[in-house]
Amino acid sequence: CMVQSGTIARSNQVRITRNKEVVFTGQLVSLRRFKDDVREVSEGFECGMGFEGFDQLEEGDIVEALSFVETARTL
């Protein structure tokens, strides 16, 4: 995979889209750069990814990294 913009971290949730249709939403379980496990990969670099319960990745699929941030309510 090639990171086209931003960064992707091993702790991210991912959404895989094919032909503008979501085919998988779940957890990223492995992230590799060359033969090393890494925590994150920055824009412009290639990496390998493993997904929890999904292995039907095809050429042209788009992987979007999702991170959820909880903020406390204020008055």
Side-chain angles (χ1 to χ4, degrees):
C1 299
M2 171 70 84
V3 179
Q4 294 181 342
S5 65
T7 60
I8 187 163
R10 190 180 323 150
S11 61
N12 289 133
Q13 292 278 328
V14 292
R15 177 175 38 216
I16 300 174
T17 56
R18 182 179 300 146
N19 299 325
K20 298 182 181 180
E21 185 176 317
V22 176
V23 292
F24 175 75
T25 301
Q27 186 67 36
L28 181 65
V29 292
S30 69
L31 185 62
R32 298 183 138 234
R33 176 118 171 86
F34 298 111
K35 294 186 179 193
D36 302 322
D37 284 327
V38 293
R39 290 182 204 224
E40 69 178 25
V41 178
S42 298
E43 180 177 339
F45 292 103
E46 293 182 350
C47 64
M49 293 185 230
F51 309 102
E52 185 175 1
F54 183 79
D55 61 356
Q56 293 89 25
L57 202 61
E58 295 180 3
E59 187 176 341
D61 287 354
I62 297 173
V63 179
E64 299 173 301
L66 309 170
S67 61
F68 298 98
V69 178
E70 290 186 29
T71 56
R73 228 179 189 184
T74 60
L75 294 176

PDB file of all heavy atoms in Angstrom, residues 20-37:
ATOM      1  N   LYS A  20     -16.481   3.156  -4.728  1.00  0.00           N
ATOM      2  CA  LYS A  20     -17.289   4.068  -3.902  1.00  0.00           C
ATOM      3  C   LYS A  20     -18.284   3.350  -2.994  1.00  0.00           C
ATOM      4  O   LYS A  20     -19.256   3.932  -2.536  1.00  0.00           O
ATOM      5  CB  LYS A  20     -18.013   5.093  -4.781  1.00  0.00           C
ATOM      6  CG  LYS A  20     -17.072   5.976  -5.553  1.00  0.00           C
ATOM      7  CD  LYS A  20     -17.799   7.009  -6.359  1.00  0.00           C
ATOM      8  CE  LYS A  20     -16.806   7.850  -7.129  1.00  0.00           C
ATOM      9  NZ  LYS A  20     -17.452   8.872  -7.931  1.00  0.00           N
ATOM     10  N   GLU A  21     -18.049   2.064  -2.721  1.00  0.00           N
ATOM     11  CA  GLU A  21     -18.907   1.287  -1.826  1.00  0.00           C
ATOM     12  C   GLU A  21     -18.037   0.713  -0.704  1.00  0.00           C
ATOM     13  O   GLU A  21     -16.991   0.126  -0.957  1.00  0.00           O
ATOM     14  CB  GLU A  21     -19.569   0.148  -2.607  1.00  0.00           C
ATOM     15  CG  GLU A  21     -20.558  -0.640  -1.810  1.00  0.00           C
ATOM     16  CD  GLU A  21     -21.248  -1.681  -2.686  1.00  0.00           C
ATOM     17  OE1 GLU A  21     -21.620  -1.355  -3.816  1.00  0.00           O
ATOM     18  OE2 GLU A  21     -21.397  -2.816  -2.210  1.00  0.00           O
ATOM     19  N   VAL A  22     -18.483   0.868   0.536  1.00  0.00           N
ATOM     20  CA  VAL A  22     -17.718   0.371   1.684  1.00  0.00           C
ATOM     21  C   VAL A  22     -17.823  -1.152   1.725  1.00  0.00           C
ATOM     22  O   VAL A  22     -18.920  -1.699   1.751  1.00  0.00           O
ATOM     23  CB  VAL A  22     -18.240   0.981   3.005  1.00  0.00           C
ATOM     24  CG1 VAL A  22     -17.507   0.387   4.195  1.00  0.00           C
ATOM     25  CG2 VAL A  22     -18.081   2.497   2.987  1.00  0.00           C
ATOM     26  N   VAL A  23     -16.660  -1.833   1.709  1.00  0.00           N
ATOM     27  CA  VAL A  23     -16.657  -3.290   1.744  1.00  0.00           C
ATOM     28  C   VAL A  23     -16.187  -3.833   3.092  1.00  0.00           C
ATOM     29  O   VAL A  23     -16.422  -4.998   3.400  1.00  0.00           O
ATOM     30  CB  VAL A  23     -15.801  -3.892   0.609  1.00  0.00           C
ATOM     31  CG1 VAL A  23     -16.432  -3.625  -0.732  1.00  0.00           C
ATOM     32  CG2 VAL A  23     -14.379  -3.389   0.654  1.00  0.00           C
ATOM     33  N   PHE A  24     -15.517  -2.993   3.906  1.00  0.00           N
ATOM     34  CA  PHE A  24     -15.035  -3.441   5.210  1.00  0.00           C
ATOM     35  C   PHE A  24     -14.806  -2.247   6.114  1.00  0.00           C
ATOM     36  O   PHE A  24     -14.279  -1.224   5.692  1.00  0.00           O
ATOM     37  CB  PHE A  24     -13.715  -4.208   5.056  1.00  0.00           C
ATOM     38  CG  PHE A  24     -13.078  -4.602   6.354  1.00  0.00           C
ATOM     39  CD1 PHE A  24     -13.581  -5.646   7.108  1.00  0.00           C
ATOM     40  CD2 PHE A  24     -11.974  -3.921   6.836  1.00  0.00           C
ATOM     41  CE1 PHE A  24     -12.984  -6.014   8.302  1.00  0.00           C
ATOM     42  CE2 PHE A  24     -11.373  -4.273   8.028  1.00  0.00           C
ATOM     43  CZ  PHE A  24     -11.880  -5.323   8.760  1.00  0.00           C
ATOM     44  N   THR A  25     -15.203  -2.387   7.366  1.00  0.00           N
ATOM     45  CA  THR A  25     -14.863  -1.432   8.418  1.00  0.00           C
ATOM     46  C   THR A  25     -14.430  -2.256   9.615  1.00  0.00           C
ATOM     47  O   THR A  25     -15.162  -3.143  10.055  1.00  0.00           O
ATOM     48  CB  THR A  25     -16.082  -0.565   8.802  1.00  0.00           C
ATOM     49  OG1 THR A  25     -16.540   0.128   7.646  1.00  0.00           O
ATOM     50  CG2 THR A  25     -15.707   0.446   9.879  1.00  0.00           C
ATOM     51  N   GLY A  26     -13.227  -1.986  10.107  1.00  0.00           N
ATOM     52  CA  GLY A  26     -12.730  -2.778  11.227  1.00  0.00           C
ATOM     53  C   GLY A  26     -11.386  -2.293  11.723  1.00  0.00           C
ATOM     54  O   GLY A  26     -10.985  -1.157  11.484  1.00  0.00           O
ATOM     55  N   GLN A  27     -10.675  -3.200  12.364  1.00  0.00           N
ATOM     56  CA  GLN A  27      -9.426  -2.878  13.043  1.00  0.00           C
ATOM     57  C   GLN A  27      -8.223  -3.216  12.166  1.00  0.00           C
ATOM     58  O   GLN A  27      -8.193  -4.244  11.511  1.00  0.00           O
ATOM     59  CB  GLN A  27      -9.337  -3.661  14.358  1.00  0.00           C
ATOM     60  CG  GLN A  27      -8.164  -3.321  15.217  1.00  0.00           C
ATOM     61  CD  GLN A  27      -8.244  -1.909  15.779  1.00  0.00           C
ATOM     62  OE1 GLN A  27      -9.316  -1.419  16.100  1.00  0.00           O
ATOM     63  NE2 GLN A  27      -7.107  -1.268  15.882  1.00  0.00           N
ATOM     64  N   LEU A  28      -7.230  -2.342  12.184  1.00  0.00           N
ATOM     65  CA  LEU A  28      -5.938  -2.596  11.568  1.00  0.00           C
ATOM     66  C   LEU A  28      -5.108  -3.374  12.583  1.00  0.00           C
ATOM     67  O   LEU A  28      -4.903  -2.906  13.699  1.00  0.00           O
ATOM     68  CB  LEU A  28      -5.268  -1.265  11.228  1.00  0.00           C
ATOM     69  CG  LEU A  28      -3.915  -1.304  10.546  1.00  0.00           C
ATOM     70  CD1 LEU A  28      -4.037  -1.931   9.170  1.00  0.00           C
ATOM     71  CD2 LEU A  28      -3.364   0.103  10.419  1.00  0.00           C
ATOM     72  N   VAL A  29      -4.669  -4.592  12.232  1.00  0.00           N
ATOM     73  CA  VAL A  29      -3.970  -5.426  13.208  1.00  0.00           C
ATOM     74  C   VAL A  29      -2.461  -5.458  13.013  1.00  0.00           C
ATOM     75  O   VAL A  29      -1.728  -5.768  13.941  1.00  0.00           O
ATOM     76  CB  VAL A  29      -4.525  -6.866  13.245  1.00  0.00           C
ATOM     77  CG1 VAL A  29      -5.929  -6.876  13.802  1.00  0.00           C
ATOM     78  CG2 VAL A  29      -4.461  -7.528  11.893  1.00  0.00           C
ATOM     79  N   SER A  30      -1.980  -5.156  11.798  1.00  0.00           N
ATOM     80  CA  SER A  30      -0.538  -5.102  11.608  1.00  0.00           C
ATOM     81  C   SER A  30      -0.182  -4.019  10.607  1.00  0.00           C
ATOM     82  O   SER A  30      -0.940  -3.730   9.676  1.00  0.00           O
ATOM     83  CB  SER A  30       0.015  -6.457  11.134  1.00  0.00           C
ATOM     84  OG  SER A  30      -0.397  -6.737   9.822  1.00  0.00           O
ATOM     85  N   LEU A  31       0.966  -3.423  10.833  1.00  0.00           N
ATOM     86  CA  LEU A  31       1.469  -2.357   9.959  1.00  0.00           C
ATOM     87  C   LEU A  31       2.968  -2.567   9.837  1.00  0.00           C
ATOM     88  O   LEU A  31       3.678  -2.593  10.841  1.00  0.00           O
ATOM     89  CB  LEU A  31       1.153  -0.986  10.559  1.00  0.00           C
ATOM     90  CG  LEU A  31       1.502   0.236   9.728  1.00  0.00           C
ATOM     91  CD1 LEU A  31       0.720   0.239   8.414  1.00  0.00           C
ATOM     92  CD2 LEU A  31       1.206   1.503  10.500  1.00  0.00           C
ATOM     93  N   ARG A  32       3.433  -2.775   8.602  1.00  0.00           N
ATOM     94  CA  ARG A  32       4.845  -3.075   8.378  1.00  0.00           C
ATOM     95  C   ARG A  32       5.439  -2.132   7.350  1.00  0.00           C
ATOM     96  O   ARG A  32       4.779  -1.745   6.405  1.00  0.00           O
ATOM     97  CB  ARG A  32       5.021  -4.516   7.886  1.00  0.00           C
ATOM     98  CG  ARG A  32       4.536  -5.504   8.893  1.00  0.00           C
ATOM     99  CD  ARG A  32       4.766  -6.917   8.431  1.00  0.00           C
ATOM    100  NE  ARG A  32       5.236  -7.623   9.612  1.00  0.00           N
ATOM    101  CZ  ARG A  32       6.338  -8.323   9.670  1.00  0.00           C
ATOM    102  NH1 ARG A  32       7.088  -8.473   8.621  1.00  0.00           N
ATOM    103  NH2 ARG A  32       6.694  -8.898  10.786  1.00  0.00           N
ATOM    104  N   ARG A  33       6.681  -1.815   7.573  1.00  0.00           N
ATOM    105  CA  ARG A  33       7.480  -1.046   6.620  1.00  0.00           C
ATOM    106  C   ARG A  33       8.702  -1.894   6.359  1.00  0.00           C
ATOM    107  O   ARG A  33       9.469  -2.166   7.278  1.00  0.00           O
ATOM    108  CB  ARG A  33       7.839   0.307   7.223  1.00  0.00           C
ATOM    109  CG  ARG A  33       8.733   1.118   6.351  1.00  0.00           C
ATOM    110  CD  ARG A  33       8.059   2.419   5.934  1.00  0.00           C
ATOM    111  NE  ARG A  33       9.025   3.273   5.267  1.00  0.00           N
ATOM    112  CZ  ARG A  33       9.285   3.191   3.975  1.00  0.00           C
ATOM    113  NH1 ARG A  33       8.669   2.310   3.234  1.00  0.00           N
ATOM    114  NH2 ARG A  33      10.165   3.989   3.425  1.00  0.00           N
ATOM    115  N   PHE A  34       8.896  -2.336   5.120  1.00  0.00           N
ATOM    116  CA  PHE A  34       9.891  -3.355   4.769  1.00  0.00           C
ATOM    117  C   PHE A  34       9.598  -4.596   5.608  1.00  0.00           C
ATOM    118  O   PHE A  34       8.502  -5.112   5.538  1.00  0.00           O
ATOM    119  CB  PHE A  34      11.316  -2.836   4.928  1.00  0.00           C
ATOM    120  CG  PHE A  34      11.609  -1.663   4.026  1.00  0.00           C
ATOM    121  CD1 PHE A  34      11.801  -0.394   4.525  1.00  0.00           C
ATOM    122  CD2 PHE A  34      11.673  -1.848   2.652  1.00  0.00           C
ATOM    123  CE1 PHE A  34      12.063   0.676   3.689  1.00  0.00           C
ATOM    124  CE2 PHE A  34      11.926  -0.782   1.800  1.00  0.00           C
ATOM    125  CZ  PHE A  34      12.123   0.485   2.331  1.00  0.00           C
ATOM    126  N   LYS A  35      10.502  -5.056   6.444  1.00  0.00           N
ATOM    127  CA  LYS A  35      10.235  -6.253   7.249  1.00  0.00           C
ATOM    128  C   LYS A  35      10.023  -5.926   8.715  1.00  0.00           C
ATOM    129  O   LYS A  35       9.925  -6.817   9.545  1.00  0.00           O
ATOM    130  CB  LYS A  35      11.390  -7.241   7.102  1.00  0.00           C
ATOM    131  CG  LYS A  35      11.492  -7.793   5.701  1.00  0.00           C
ATOM    132  CD  LYS A  35      12.537  -8.858   5.598  1.00  0.00           C
ATOM    133  CE  LYS A  35      12.563  -9.387   4.177  1.00  0.00           C
ATOM    134  NZ  LYS A  35      13.318 -10.609   4.056  1.00  0.00           N
ATOM    135  N   ASP A  36       9.934  -4.647   9.056  1.00  0.00           N
ATOM    136  CA  ASP A  36       9.809  -4.218  10.443  1.00  0.00           C
ATOM    137  C   ASP A  36       8.376  -3.830  10.780  1.00  0.00           C
ATOM    138  O   ASP A  36       7.702  -3.180   9.982  1.00  0.00           O
ATOM    139  CB  ASP A  36      10.715  -3.015  10.722  1.00  0.00           C
ATOM    140  CG  ASP A  36      12.182  -3.313  10.437  1.00  0.00           C
ATOM    141  OD1 ASP A  36      12.615  -4.441  10.720  1.00  0.00           O
ATOM    142  OD2 ASP A  36      12.874  -2.413   9.929  1.00  0.00           O
ATOM    143  N   ASP A  37       7.923  -4.219  11.992  1.00  0.00           N
ATOM    144  CA  ASP A  37       6.647  -3.719  12.499  1.00  0.00           C
ATOM    145  C   ASP A  37       6.858  -2.270  12.921  1.00  0.00           C
ATOM    146  O   ASP A  37       7.854  -1.950  13.573  1.00  0.00           O
ATOM    147  CB  ASP A  37       6.182  -4.527  13.711  1.00  0.00           C
ATOM    148  CG  ASP A  37       5.624  -5.878  13.311  1.00  0.00           C
ATOM    149  OD1 ASP A  37       5.036  -5.974  12.223  1.00  0.00           O
ATOM    150  OD2 ASP A  37       5.773  -6.833  14.092  1.00  0.00           O
TER     151      ASP A  37
END
